[in-house]
Structure formats: structure tokens, C-alpha cells
Amino acid sequence: MGEIVSCSLEDGVAVVRIDNPPVNAMDRGVRAGLDKVFTELKARKDINAIVLGCAGRTFVAGADIKEFDTGIAEPGFHKVLRLIEDSPVPVVAAVHGTALGAGTELAMSCHYRVVDKNGRFGLPELSLGIIPGAGGTQRLPRLVPVERALDIILAGKPVGAEAAREIGLADAVVEGDVVKGAVDFARDLIAKGAGPRRTREQPVKGTENTEALFPQKRAEVAKKMRNRQSPLVLIETFERTCKLPFDEGLKIESEQSSKLEKATESRALRHLFFAEREVRKIPGIGAEVKPRPIAKVGIVGAGTMGGGIAMSFANIGVPVTVLDVKQDFLDTGFSRMRKNYERSVSRGSLKAEQADQRMGLITPTLNEKDLGDADLIIEAVFENMALKKDIFRKLGKVAKDGAILGTNTSTLDIDEIGAVTGRPQDIVGLHFFSPAHVMPLLEIVQTKATSPQVLTTALEVAKQIRKVGVVSKVSYGFIGNRMMDPYAREAEHCLLEGATPEQVDGALEDFGMAMGILAVFDMAGVEVGPSTRRERKHLLPNDPGFYRCSDLLTERGWLGQKTGRGYYRYDNPGHKRMSDPEANEMFWEEGKRLGVERRNPSRKEIQERCFFSMINEGALLLEEGVALRAGDIDVVYASGYGFPRYRGGPMFYADTVGLKVIHDRLLEFKSILDPQYWTPAPLLAKLAAEGSTFAEWDKSRGA
Ligand code: 3H9
């Protein structure tokens, strides 16, 4: 293996190269290498300029996120960046791929920046609950005006090469070999006699009118980034430092950033960062199992779900054939897809020709034989076992050998469906979330027969269509919906006990959920729950209050947004939810009739009942092996159910509350509420007794 940081000389220009795959994270090794090379270069008299670039697919993509757990080792970022900035000859960064976090900070400590035309600069630290801690809050506003600098970090979105040049973050945009472009740029500097241009020596830009700016940004953050600490600390850091000399500002940045690194918000977000990558690793399936190539996809069912799935593939350039039984259904489905694309065009996120291109990749058919050349066929028809079996029986006949057969079922037994295909090893559950072209989660359901290669391919497909794929075993509701059930049951029951939908949803939204569950039911259609429950009546608990309010609403035809009333009233077309005193009265009367105690549960009680029962179910899923890791459950909830990322997912959140606290509270609820629901899961009881955590449990199993 070559050196992590190497240096070569090209006629008076030193080319320093970082080579630390996969993403050139600026770990201790990189810092030590830069320290050594730049110290040596400082002493040389035969060098007129230095170019700093990276091998591989990207410039430095940030600090090594793992290092925050152990503490940053020596040499630290400030020392190394200062050394580079102090260079007596000009230093030119050659940026390709995405300079992220410490990568952008490294580039800003160089005197000039040359960027590949597809290169980008980003400071995504807030997505990890921290602020730029290697001088980013101090150097960026010395290159671009304060307000713009703050917006770049608040948004966390990378800035493209041209935009970076326009705002003064980059000096030149080049095509082709970026290091060569940077060497040419350096030679120009030498010819012009231009020396180092140290960012830290520039004045902060745009400091006029900052008095109004910071309160305004604080108000925006309070609205858009509710309950978050790091964005407020970022604004405070800018406010306190924008009129201070560089070194004083840097000291404040350091204090603030090390405070944030230790806070729960950052630990939670870092946990999710790694958990989202860990989900791809399946115990027992090694790198020798290669995914099957997926060049063509078939979809059965042109409904909302089938259409969304088709779009997900067309969006990455994969041709899709969509099958349905009637031309009408195909027409409706295709016009829905076209409308979705048109909406993206009118919002400016897609060009009209791209929309046409994507629609051009989707072909309708009424003939199942047209799915014969697909590498992957996904069924997305409504939930009915007989219908699905019929479809899979036919697919077993028409699909080519080695084609993967996926079902989008959210409730049915996939082993049973797979059995009729004659090739159960090729079947896998692919549970998309609606709207499928938007939602980032894909539950991948492994049956008893699913082959390792099929599972690996499903995980690869998820990555290609830019979704996070999480493996679940077959179980009613898989991971996500199974844990949703107790959560929603408690939310619903609180209505019988005297709470209003606003109080219940308000408590859940205050916790950080994207939307309260009752509002979600109103959006999805209140009748959906009662209709799926009818299918499995024999399995329901003996509890007359079980989802009673949704049954009542359904009986009255108050089905949510589409009928203008459900748990709430709606003023179409704005869908603004409003209190419905008549519905509330109906819930309370029903509670009285059923003899439910009118507890008027507090905000805290609503939150504890909903989230602790959800966590308890999560512990059962782990014990049963339905979910592989607590981290997998967290990924499901953060990416598919609007669980606040800054709490790390339900299982991480449980660890932060303390499993003993949750265990004891479950027992308290058992003594005052319906006892059938509140027995702590054995795994939760065990970990609570040991003073352990779900994270430790994951670790003990090598996850
Ligand atoms: C920062 O810089 C703070 C500073 O202000 C200084 C403070 C003092 N560290 O995502 P992928 C691993 S904060 C450690 O699958 P892609 C990743 O876990 C940092 N590991 O690839 C995975 O490992 P494995 C700011 C990292 O092509 C492998 O690399 N920077 C890091 O889909 C491949 O990753 C960020 O927030 C890291 N920084 O996406 C950027 N980055 O194979 C974070 C990646 O074992 N990174 N790994 O599972 C990303 O956003 C994406 O990885 C990137 C590539 C877009 C770069």
C-alpha cells in the first residue's frame, strides 16, 4: 500500500496527494501525513507553489466521524490547517468529487481553490449535530458574505462548482484532470508573482446589518429545525465571532463544537449515519455473494404504488414495463406518473426533457408475457392473498430464469406467496412507502427461502434507487408497521380517555414526529385501518376500546382529508386541520359508554405510552430475529416514519432515556391501564436489569 499522503515534484510545483479510501476522510493518518509533508516542504527552497489534491473518487469528504467517539487525536485539525495556510509559497487545492466538512475547511485553508466542473463544496456538519470545527465558521465568512456563509451551513447542501466560483469560494472551474488544472493555475500564479493569499487574513465579509440577521435566522431555525440545538449554536457562534479577530473566533468555535460533539443530538445523528450504512451488512453473507444485474424491471399494478415504484427506476435510467388488467387502469396510472413529473418540472427540480425521457422509459402492457425479459418483477396490487397468489403463479411461468420476484405486500405472508411460484428462492418482499418515488425507505423482507444472492441484489437495488434498504424477516407488519401498531393504539385510546386529537398529535409532534398519527390516518384514509383489521379479526385483542375511534369515524363516513372530516375537520383545498367538537364529543361519549376511565392524559403520559410501547415491541422484534439490529429499527423509523433523526430512532432514544426507566414505567402502566398491553419484553427486562443498552446488545452480537 502506498503512503496516505505523498508528494511529488513537477518542475518547481509540489503536488501533495491524499490517498485514504474510500472517501479520503481526514483521520489521524491523513493529518499526520499532511503535517509531515508540509513541514518538509516549508524548509525547501526549490518550490514555488504547492497543489493539494486527492486520489480516488472524491476530495476529502470530512473528518473521520468515528473519531468523535474517541476524541480527536494529535496532530489536531487547527495545527495542520494552520501549517498549510502558513506556507510561504501559494497552496492551491485541487477539488474533485465532494469536499465535505473538514474537506471544505481544508480547501479553505489553502490559498486558492481550483475545482472540477462536477466538484462541490459542502459543510454538512449540522446533519451530524455539530458545527464546522476546523475553522469553517471563521474562514467561510472571510470568503463569502456572512449571511450566505450561514445559509450554506444551515442548509448543509453542497454548492456546485460554478456557484462556488461566483460567490468567491472557488477561483477557477476546470474540465478534465483537476490536479493538472490546479498545477496550470499555480504556474500562472508564479508567473504573475502572486504569493500566498491566506483566508484568515481577510476581513469577514458583509458584517453590516447583522443585528437583524441573527434574530431572523433564529426564528427560521425554531420553525424549520424544531428541538434542534446545533443550528442555534451555529448562529450564536457566528453572532459572537463575526466581528472578532480570527484567532479569537476560532477559540469560540472550538469550545462550541466540542460541547456539541458530546451532546445527545450529535451522538444520535452519528449513530444513524453509521446505522444507515450498517443495514447493508447481513451476517453470514459475505462479499463473495455478488448481486444479480438489474437492467430491466417489470411492475404488476399501475396504481399509485406501482406507478411510484416505476418512477423510482425510471429516475435512474432503468426501463420499466408496467402491467395491469385494463387499459383504463394503465391510462390512469400513466397520467398520474406524468402529473408527478410535471409537478417536479414546475417546481424546477426537473427539466421538461428529463421528465419526457423518464416517461419514455416506462412502457404499459396488458400482456404478462411482456414481463418475460425483466430481471426484477415487483407486484404492487391491493392486499388480497388469492389475487397475489394468482399473479405469482403466472409470474412463476412467464419470468425468465433467475428473475427476482418482489412483492410489495405490507401484511401478507410472503412465504405463502413464494410457495406458488415454483421458485421460492427468488422471491423477496419489497415494501415501499407511499409515495414510493419520494419516500427513502424500502423494507426488504427475507422469507425462509429467499436466497442470499436475491437478498444482496435487493439491497443493491435499494442503493441504486437511492433508498435505504432494511432487511426484515416475515412477521405481520414487518418492522415498521408492527411497531406502529401499539404506538397508534395508545394514541387512539387517549381520545376515549378525554384527550383531543390536537392534544395527542401535539404531544407527538412536540416530541419531534413529522406528523401526529391521527393526522396521518386522516391523510391516508381513516378506513384503511378498520379494513385491514377486519381481515384478521381472530387475532385482535379482547378490548372493545381497541382502535374504537377509527371504527366510529369509518361507520360515519368521516374518512379524513378526502371527505373533509375525520379526527379533524378540513377546509379544502388547504387541508389545514381544525378541531371538530362533534367528533371529540363522540369519542368521549364512547369512552363513557365503554366504561373507560377519563384520565385526561398529560402530554408526557401520551408521549410515554406511545413511544415506550413502540420500543417494547421493538425489543420483541429483536428477540424474534425479525429485525437484525436495534440500529436497523432506528433506520426504519428515521427514514420511513418521520421519527426525529436528532433522537437517533426509537431504540437509540430508549438507550438515552434508560432501559430501566422504560421498563419500570411499562409496569406502572400495566397497573393503571389495560394490563394485556404492558408486559415488558423479556429482552427489555433483561437489559434493564443488567443496566445495559440496545447499543451494547447490538455490539455483543457482533452487529
Ligand atoms: C466534519 O468534517 C467535522 C469537521 O468540521 C471537523 C471537526 C473537528 N468518516 O456513504 P458511503 C464511510 S464532520 C468516517 O457508503 P457513498 C462509510 O461509513 C464530517 N467514515 O459512500 C462507509 O463505510 P462502510 C462531514 C466515513 O459513495 C464508506 O465510507 N462529512 C465517512 O454513498 C463509504 O461511504 C460528512 O458528513 C466519514 N466522514 O457516499 C460526509 N464518510 O463501507 C459523510 C464515509 O464500512 N459522508 N465514511 O460502510 C458522506 O456523506 C458519504 O459517505 C459520501 C460518499 C457522500 C462522502
Side-chain angles (χ1 to χ4, degrees):
M1 216 177 85
E3 279 184 292
I4 297 177
V5 179
S6 59
C7 180
S8 59
L9 210 58
E10 288 185 23
D11 194 16
V13 177
V15 176
V16 178
R17 199 174 81 130
I18 299 172
D19 187 2
N20 189 29
V23 297
N24 290 315
M26 202 166 159
D27 58 15
R28 202 197 75 79
V30 170
R31 295 196 303 277
L34 288 172
D35 192 31
K36 179 167 172 281
V37 167
F38 274 85
T39 304
E40 285 164 10
L41 288 175
K42 205 169 158 184
R44 287 180 71 151
K45 298 281 172 265
D46 56 340
I47 285 164
N48 300 315
I50 301 169
V51 164
L52 173 60
C54 287
R57 56 182 154 131
T58 182
F59 194 77
V60 170
D64 176 359
I65 299 168
K66 288 188 214 86
E67 222 181 329
F68 293 118
D69 291 336
T70 51
I72 308 283
E74 290 298 329
F77 285 89
H78 292 320
K79 176 175 184 242
V80 176
L81 267 48
R82 173 71 66 129
L83 175 69
I84 295 171
E85 200 172 35
D86 276 346
S87 164
V89 296
V91 184
V92 182
V95 175
H96 76 292
T98 329
L100 290 173
T104 294
E105 292 171 299
L106 171 65
M108 292 192 296
S109 71
C110 297
H111 306 141
Y112 303 89
R113 284 152 296 281
V114 170
V115 55
D116 171 70
K117 77 174 186 3
N118 297 316
R120 296 182 303 163
F121 295 89
L123 288 160
E125 278 84 348
L126 293 184
S127 68
L128 296 168
I130 51 174
I131 59 171
T137 67
Q138 301 306 300
R139 288 196 177 89
L140 189 60
R142 285 173 163 81
L143 293 171
V144 310
V146 172
E147 181 169 1
R148 188 67 199 263
L150 190 51
D151 283 344
I152 288 173
I153 308 176
L154 281 174
K157 285 210 186 88
V159 178
E162 271 308 330
R165 196 181 52 78
E166 275 162 30
I167 60 176
L169 184 51
D171 297 281
V173 178
V174 297
E175 275 197 68
D177 184 347
V178 70
V179 170
K180 184 179 172 307
V183 169
D184 292 345
F185 186 90
R187 291 203 195 292
D188 259 12
L189 291 174
I190 298 166
K192 284 190 223 146
R197 187 192 56 188
R198 299 189 178 93
T199 309
R200 71 164 193 270
E201 289 169 0
Q202 320 287 317
V204 173
K205 294 196 164 129
T207 48
E208 324 76 45
N209 305 326
T210 44
E211 282 70 24
L213 174 70
F214 298 118
Q216 179 209 327
K217 292 290 165 197
R218 250 184 219 108
E220 280 173 29
V221 159
K223 231 198 223 158
K224 282 198 223 142
M225 302 170 96
R226 208 158 24 108
N227 297 347
R228 293 285 308 273
Q229 180 190 7
S230 52
L232 293 173
V233 171
L234 175 76
I235 297 169
E236 186 196 324
T237 306
F238 264 68
E239 188 170 31
R240 284 174 60 195
T241 63
C242 70
K243 292 187 180 151
L244 291 180
F246 180 84
D247 283 335
E248 284 178 44
L250 203 60
K251 210 166 143 241
I252 292 174
E253 180 197 89
S254 285
E255 284 162 18
Q256 300 276 48
S257 88
S258 49
K259 199 167 65 189
L260 288 172
E261 278 161 28
K262 294 178 198 91
T264 305
E265 177 179 313
S266 177
R267 289 195 302 112
L269 290 164
R270 275 151 37 205
H271 158 73
L272 276 179
F273 177 85
F274 288 112
E276 277 165 358
R277 284 148 182 91
E278 193 73 18
V279 288
R280 295 182 216 141
K281 296 168 193 158
I282 307 303
I285 304 186
E288 71 286 354
V289 181
K290 300 283 177 235
R292 295 181 195 168
I294 303 295
K296 213 160 181 255
V297 170
I299 308 280
V300 183
T304 310
M305 198 45 112
I309 301 171
M311 289 172 72
S312 302
F313 285 95
N315 290 349
I316 58 153
V318 172
V320 190
T321 303
V322 179
L323 170 79
D324 215 316
V325 285
K326 279 195 188 149
Q327 188 59 42
D328 261 11
F329 297 166
L330 286 172
D331 293 345
T332 312
F334 272 63
S335 88
R336 192 185 301 112
M337 286 186 265
R338 180 157 282 291
K339 271 202 198 106
N340 284 337
Y341 279 132
E342 279 165 3
R343 220 171 293 136
S344 303
V345 172
S346 63
R347 271 203 310 262
S349 56
L350 199 70
K351 295 198 183 101
E353 53 280 18
Q354 285 174 309
D356 288 342
Q357 234 168 33
R358 291 177 191 191
M359 275 312 289
L361 284 170
I362 311 175
T363 311
T365 185
L366 293 167
N367 185 350
E368 60 228 12
K369 291 211 177 83
D370 288 340
L371 303 183
D373 61 348
D375 304 300
L376 165 67
I377 303 176
I378 303 172
E379 161 278 314
V381 304
F382 62 88
E383 293 288 78
N384 177 292
M385 185 54 109
L387 174 65
K388 296 211 185 216
K389 276 187 173 167
D390 185 45
I391 289 170
F392 277 92
R393 218 171 274 124
K394 287 179 187 152
L395 290 181
K397 293 199 181 96
V398 299
K400 69 177 184 187
D401 277 352
I404 293 176
L405 307 179
T407 168
N408 183 52
T409 182
S410 51
T411 54
L412 300 175
D413 182 342
I414 306 177
D415 280 299
E416 199 180 327
I417 298 174
V420 304
T421 58
R423 39 173 123 174
Q425 73 283 358
D426 287 333
I427 196 156
V428 65
L430 295 174
H431 183 213
F432 288 81
F433 289 73
S434 191
H437 58 294
V438 177
M439 292 295 285
L441 177 64
L442 176 65
E443 276 183 318
I444 297 173
V445 189
Q446 178 185 16
T447 70
K448 291 191 190 90
T450 307
S451 80
Q453 198 190 26
V454 168
L455 203 59
T456 302
T457 311
L459 282 160
E460 182 58 28
V461 164
K463 187 163 189 218
Q464 279 172 12
I465 57 174
R466 299 184 201 109
K467 299 202 189 292
V468 41
V470 182
V471 172
S472 165
K473 295 277 168 45
V474 175
S475 159
Y476 189 84
F478 313 130
I479 297 174
N481 285 344
R482 205 174 124 182
M483 284 171 68
M484 243 313 112
D485 197 49
Y487 164 83
R489 177 198 71 216
E490 287 309 304
E492 245 258 350
H493 203 273
C494 287
L495 301 178
L496 296 176
E497 299 166 31
T500 62
E502 289 92 326
Q503 283 165 346
V504 173
D505 281 348
L508 303 177
E509 288 163 7
D510 281 351
F511 177 88
M513 295 301 283
M515 199 189 235
I517 188 66
L518 305 174
V520 170
F521 285 161
D522 270 359
M523 194 174 68
V526 177
E527 76 287 6
V528 176
S531 107
T532 37
R533 279 189 289 278
R534 252 195 314 278
E535 300 269 314
R536 51 195 292 265
K537 252 195 185 131
H538 55 295
L539 296 170
L540 300 183
N542 179 14
D543 171 9
F546 186 69
Y547 286 104
R548 183 67 194 131
C549 301
S550 66
D551 290 341
L552 287 176
L553 291 171
T554 305
E555 281 161 23
R556 274 169 189 65
W558 297 354
L559 307 181
Q561 288 191 8
K562 63 186 167 198
T563 59
R565 68 193 300 188
Y567 291 95
Y568 300 92
R569 271 180 177 278
Y570 296 89
D571 65 338
N572 270 331
H575 293 324
K576 188 178 164 332
R577 68 193 198 207
M578 293 174 298
S579 169
D580 186 347
E582 203 183 334
N584 295 347
E585 205 51 54
M586 175 174 78
F587 303 145
W588 299 334
E589 277 305 311
E590 186 66 1
K592 225 188 277 169
R593 191 184 73 77
L594 295 174
V596 172
E597 184 195 347
R598 197 171 166 112
R599 301 175 49 76
N600 294 320
S602 67
R603 179 171 157 276
K604 181 163 179 274
E605 180 181 317
I606 294 169
Q607 291 174 343
E608 288 181 338
R609 282 168 62 177
C610 291
F611 292 109
F612 291 0
S613 58
M614 170 195 272
I615 290 161
N616 200 35
E617 195 70 30
L620 286 175
L621 288 176
L622 291 174
E623 265 175 317
E624 293 167 18
V626 173
L628 281 169
R629 290 160 285 238
D632 287 20
I633 295 178
D634 290 334
V635 172
V636 165
Y637 265 79
S639 52
Y641 289 83
F643 194 95
R645 290 184 68 82
Y646 57 83
R647 292 195 194 273
M651 308 316 268
F652 183 90
Y653 168 70
D655 284 350
T656 64
V657 174
L659 300 189
K660 172 95 171 58
V661 173
I662 295 179
H663 172 267
D664 293 354
R665 194 78 177 117
L666 289 173
L667 288 181
E668 275 177 57
F669 286 139
K670 189 169 183 169
S671 68
I672 52 176
L673 300 168
D674 189 338
Q676 67 177 315
Y677 298 129
W678 298 101
T679 303
L683 176 64
L684 179 69
K686 176 176 169 289
L687 295 176
E690 290 167 356
S692 186
T693 59
F694 288 121
E696 279 171 27
W697 188 76
D698 271 1
K699 239 187 256 156
S700 72
R701 293 162 47 88

PDB file of all heavy atoms in Angstrom, residues 253-263:
ATOM      1  N   GLU A 253     -15.287  28.924  18.343  1.00  0.00           N
ATOM      2  CA  GLU A 253     -15.761  27.803  17.513  1.00  0.00           C
ATOM      3  C   GLU A 253     -15.379  26.463  18.160  1.00  0.00           C
ATOM      4  O   GLU A 253     -16.185  25.543  18.251  1.00  0.00           O
ATOM      5  CB  GLU A 253     -15.151  27.902  16.111  1.00  0.00           C
ATOM      6  CG  GLU A 253     -15.580  26.776  15.190  1.00  0.00           C
ATOM      7  CD  GLU A 253     -14.682  26.613  13.964  1.00  0.00           C
ATOM      8  OE1 GLU A 253     -13.688  25.865  14.052  1.00  0.00           O
ATOM      9  OE2 GLU A 253     -14.984  27.223  12.928  1.00  0.00           O
ATOM     10  N   SER A 254     -14.132  26.374  18.620  1.00  0.00           N
ATOM     11  CA  SER A 254     -13.655  25.115  19.222  1.00  0.00           C
ATOM     12  C   SER A 254     -14.467  24.748  20.461  1.00  0.00           C
ATOM     13  O   SER A 254     -14.872  23.601  20.633  1.00  0.00           O
ATOM     14  CB  SER A 254     -12.199  25.245  19.673  1.00  0.00           C
ATOM     15  OG  SER A 254     -11.376  25.217  18.579  1.00  0.00           O
ATOM     16  N   GLU A 255     -14.679  25.754  21.310  1.00  0.00           N
ATOM     17  CA  GLU A 255     -15.439  25.473  22.549  1.00  0.00           C
ATOM     18  C   GLU A 255     -16.839  24.969  22.207  1.00  0.00           C
ATOM     19  O   GLU A 255     -17.317  23.984  22.759  1.00  0.00           O
ATOM     20  CB  GLU A 255     -15.592  26.762  23.377  1.00  0.00           C
ATOM     21  CG  GLU A 255     -14.352  27.171  24.123  1.00  0.00           C
ATOM     22  CD  GLU A 255     -14.429  28.649  24.535  1.00  0.00           C
ATOM     23  OE1 GLU A 255     -15.554  29.245  24.548  1.00  0.00           O
ATOM     24  OE2 GLU A 255     -13.358  29.202  24.807  1.00  0.00           O
ATOM     25  N   GLN A 256     -17.466  25.691  21.270  1.00  0.00           N
ATOM     26  CA  GLN A 256     -18.848  25.340  20.923  1.00  0.00           C
ATOM     27  C   GLN A 256     -18.911  23.965  20.285  1.00  0.00           C
ATOM     28  O   GLN A 256     -19.807  23.176  20.563  1.00  0.00           O
ATOM     29  CB  GLN A 256     -19.423  26.365  19.925  1.00  0.00           C
ATOM     30  CG  GLN A 256     -19.468  27.780  20.422  1.00  0.00           C
ATOM     31  CD  GLN A 256     -20.704  28.049  21.249  1.00  0.00           C
ATOM     32  OE1 GLN A 256     -21.038  27.275  22.135  1.00  0.00           O
ATOM     33  NE2 GLN A 256     -21.391  29.136  20.984  1.00  0.00           N
ATOM     34  N   SER A 257     -17.937  23.677  19.407  1.00  0.00           N
ATOM     35  CA  SER A 257     -18.047  22.412  18.683  1.00  0.00           C
ATOM     36  C   SER A 257     -17.733  21.233  19.596  1.00  0.00           C
ATOM     37  O   SER A 257     -18.367  20.190  19.502  1.00  0.00           O
ATOM     38  CB  SER A 257     -17.245  22.430  17.385  1.00  0.00           C
ATOM     39  OG  SER A 257     -15.951  22.030  17.586  1.00  0.00           O
ATOM     40  N   SER A 258     -16.808  21.394  20.543  1.00  0.00           N
ATOM     41  CA  SER A 258     -16.565  20.217  21.388  1.00  0.00           C
ATOM     42  C   SER A 258     -17.727  19.993  22.356  1.00  0.00           C
ATOM     43  O   SER A 258     -18.005  18.849  22.746  1.00  0.00           O
ATOM     44  CB  SER A 258     -15.212  20.266  22.093  1.00  0.00           C
ATOM     45  OG  SER A 258     -15.035  21.482  22.716  1.00  0.00           O
ATOM     46  N   LYS A 259     -18.444  21.065  22.704  1.00  0.00           N
ATOM     47  CA  LYS A 259     -19.640  20.899  23.551  1.00  0.00           C
ATOM     48  C   LYS A 259     -20.691  20.068  22.786  1.00  0.00           C
ATOM     49  O   LYS A 259     -21.286  19.142  23.314  1.00  0.00           O
ATOM     50  CB  LYS A 259     -20.181  22.301  23.852  1.00  0.00           C
ATOM     51  CG  LYS A 259     -21.109  22.386  25.029  1.00  0.00           C
ATOM     52  CD  LYS A 259     -21.343  23.833  25.462  1.00  0.00           C
ATOM     53  CE  LYS A 259     -22.076  24.654  24.400  1.00  0.00           C
ATOM     54  NZ  LYS A 259     -22.157  26.095  24.639  1.00  0.00           N
ATOM     55  N   LEU A 260     -20.858  20.422  21.503  1.00  0.00           N
ATOM     56  CA  LEU A 260     -21.889  19.733  20.705  1.00  0.00           C
ATOM     57  C   LEU A 260     -21.555  18.268  20.442  1.00  0.00           C
ATOM     58  O   LEU A 260     -22.436  17.418  20.415  1.00  0.00           O
ATOM     59  CB  LEU A 260     -22.082  20.455  19.364  1.00  0.00           C
ATOM     60  CG  LEU A 260     -22.795  21.797  19.425  1.00  0.00           C
ATOM     61  CD1 LEU A 260     -22.751  22.479  18.068  1.00  0.00           C
ATOM     62  CD2 LEU A 260     -24.237  21.643  19.886  1.00  0.00           C
ATOM     63  N   GLU A 261     -20.265  17.977  20.236  1.00  0.00           N
ATOM     64  CA  GLU A 261     -19.863  16.588  19.940  1.00  0.00           C
ATOM     65  C   GLU A 261     -20.341  15.617  20.997  1.00  0.00           C
ATOM     66  O   GLU A 261     -20.663  14.473  20.716  1.00  0.00           O
ATOM     67  CB  GLU A 261     -18.330  16.478  19.897  1.00  0.00           C
ATOM     68  CG  GLU A 261     -17.700  16.895  18.614  1.00  0.00           C
ATOM     69  CD  GLU A 261     -16.220  17.185  18.816  1.00  0.00           C
ATOM     70  OE1 GLU A 261     -15.589  16.605  19.716  1.00  0.00           O
ATOM     71  OE2 GLU A 261     -15.702  18.035  18.056  1.00  0.00           O
ATOM     72  N   LYS A 262     -20.377  16.097  22.253  1.00  0.00           N
ATOM     73  CA  LYS A 262     -20.733  15.189  23.354  1.00  0.00           C
ATOM     74  C   LYS A 262     -22.249  15.133  23.584  1.00  0.00           C
ATOM     75  O   LYS A 262     -22.739  14.270  24.303  1.00  0.00           O
ATOM     76  CB  LYS A 262     -20.048  15.666  24.644  1.00  0.00           C
ATOM     77  CG  LYS A 262     -18.537  15.554  24.547  1.00  0.00           C
ATOM     78  CD  LYS A 262     -17.856  16.073  25.809  1.00  0.00           C
ATOM     79  CE  LYS A 262     -16.389  16.373  25.555  1.00  0.00           C
ATOM     80  NZ  LYS A 262     -16.112  17.757  25.118  1.00  0.00           N
ATOM     81  N   ALA A 263     -22.975  16.048  22.983  1.00  0.00           N
ATOM     82  CA  ALA A 263     -24.418  16.128  23.265  1.00  0.00           C
ATOM     83  C   ALA A 263     -25.181  14.978  22.603  1.00  0.00           C
ATOM     84  O   ALA A 263     -24.729  14.397  21.611  1.00  0.00           O
ATOM     85  CB  ALA A 263     -24.948  17.470  22.768  1.00  0.00           C
TER      86      ALA A 263
END
